[in-house]
Amino acid sequence: MACQSGDQVSSIPYYDSPDFSPHFLDKIEAKSKIKHHIDHFYLKDQHGKTFSQDNVKGKIHLAQFIFTRCGNICPEMISQMKIVAKKFSNNPEVELLSYSVTPWIDDVPTLKKFAEEKKIEASNWHLLTGSKSVIYNLARKSYFAEEELGYTKDSTEFLHTEHMILVDREGRIRGIYNGTLPLEAEQCVKDMEKLLAEN
C-alpha cells in the first residue's frame, strides 16, 4: 500500500471508546475528532529500568496484559507476540509492552527470569511492573481492557484478556487483536507496517 497522506483516509481505523467502534478518518480529521489517548505512566521493565510514556512517544506500540504464573492463555499470547517481535525487533520506531496484571508478584527479578525462560530477547520488548493502580487504571481507562470483557471493577482477574492493542505514534488506539491466534498476530504485523508507512 502506498504511504498515506493527510488528505487520505487511513485503512487502519481509530478507536476512542470501550465498544471499539471503528472510525475511518484522515489525519486531519483524526486530530480533531479522536480525543482518546493512552495516559502517562511510570513503570519498571524486566531490566529494572524506568519505562514511561516518554519511551513510546513518537513510536507505535503493541500492548498486552499477562502474568508470569498464568498457565492457560498467557503462554500462547507470548508466542503470538514473538511473531510480532521477530518482524520488528530491530525497528527503533516500535515498542512491545507486556504489562503484568499481578505486579505484586511479578517484580523485576521475576520478570527477568520469565523473559529468560521464554526467550524474550528483543530489545524493544518490555515486560512491565510497578503500581497496581497505575497498571489497572491504564487497562481500564487507556486501553479499555476491562470493558471489553465486562468484568466488575473489583475483580482481580479483570485484566486477564487475550487482546493485544495497537497504538499509534500519537498515543491513539488503532487495533485490537486476539493475542492467542497466529492469524491475528499476522494481521497485526500487516497493520503495524501500514501504520509505520503512514508517517
Side-chain angles (χ1 to χ4, degrees):
M1 171 173 283
C3 294
Q4 305 286 331
S5 65
D7 59 353
Q8 287 180 302
V9 174
S10 175
S11 62
I12 309 297
Y14 294 84
Y15 300 94
D16 66 350
S17 61
D19 64 2
F20 285 98
S21 296
H23 301 277
F24 292 92
L25 307 166
D26 65 35
K27 285 185 187 178
I28 296 171
E29 287 178 313
K31 195 164 188 176
S32 64
K33 293 181 179 179
I34 303 298
K35 301 302 181 186
H36 181 78
H37 295 78
I38 303 302
D39 204 0
H40 293 282
F41 63 89
Y42 291 90
L43 298 166
K44 294 278 187 184
D45 72 7
Q46 71 269 34
H47 305 294
K49 296 179 180 177
T50 298
F51 194 92
S52 73
Q53 188 67 19
D54 290 337
N55 295 92
V56 296
K57 189 175 181 180
K59 303 178 182 182
I60 67 172
H61 77 267
L62 186 65
Q64 63 176 190
F65 297 91
I66 63 162
F67 59 105
T68 61
R69 295 187 182 181
C70 170
N72 44 22
I73 66 170
C74 295
E76 195 56 45
M77 290 172 65
I78 294 295
S79 295
Q80 303 320 316
M81 188 68 108
K82 282 185 176 182
I83 291 176
V84 180
K86 185 176 181 181
K87 182 70 179 180
F88 298 108
S89 62
N90 296 314
N91 193 320
E93 298 180 79
V94 175
E95 299 288 351
L96 307 176
L97 311 183
S98 295
Y99 292 94
S100 169
V101 299
T102 57
W104 57 93
I105 295 171
D106 295 335
D107 57 10
V108 169
T110 301
L111 289 180
K112 191 173 191 303
K113 183 181 178 184
F114 181 78
E116 290 168 354
E117 290 173 350
K118 300 298 182 183
K119 295 182 169 54
I120 295 171
E121 298 166 349
S123 61
N124 59 346
W125 187 347
H126 307 274
L127 280 62
L128 300 175
T129 188
S131 164
K132 175 184 175 182
S133 63
V134 168
I135 293 172
Y136 278 36
N137 279 332
L138 273 172
R140 286 177 174 146
K141 298 176 182 177
S142 287
Y143 293 104
F144 302 135
E146 180 187 37
E147 287 84 349
E148 181 67 14
L149 290 182
Y151 285 124
T152 58
K153 291 197 186 306
D154 62 354
S155 171
T156 57
E157 292 188 317
F158 84 93
L159 290 179
H160 200 194
T161 169
E162 73 274 14
H163 294 127
M164 299 189 299
I165 298 146
L166 177 59
V167 180
D168 69 13
R169 299 174 194 269
E170 307 298 326
R172 300 168 301 201
I173 296 175
R174 303 297 296 275
I176 179 168
Y177 311 89
N178 185 318
T180 68
L181 302 176
L183 281 176
E184 292 272 303
E186 290 165 12
Q187 182 60 52
C188 179
V189 166
K190 292 175 184 176
D191 291 347
M192 290 172 74
E193 289 174 332
K194 289 178 184 176
L195 272 191
L196 288 168
E198 283 186 359
N199 290 281

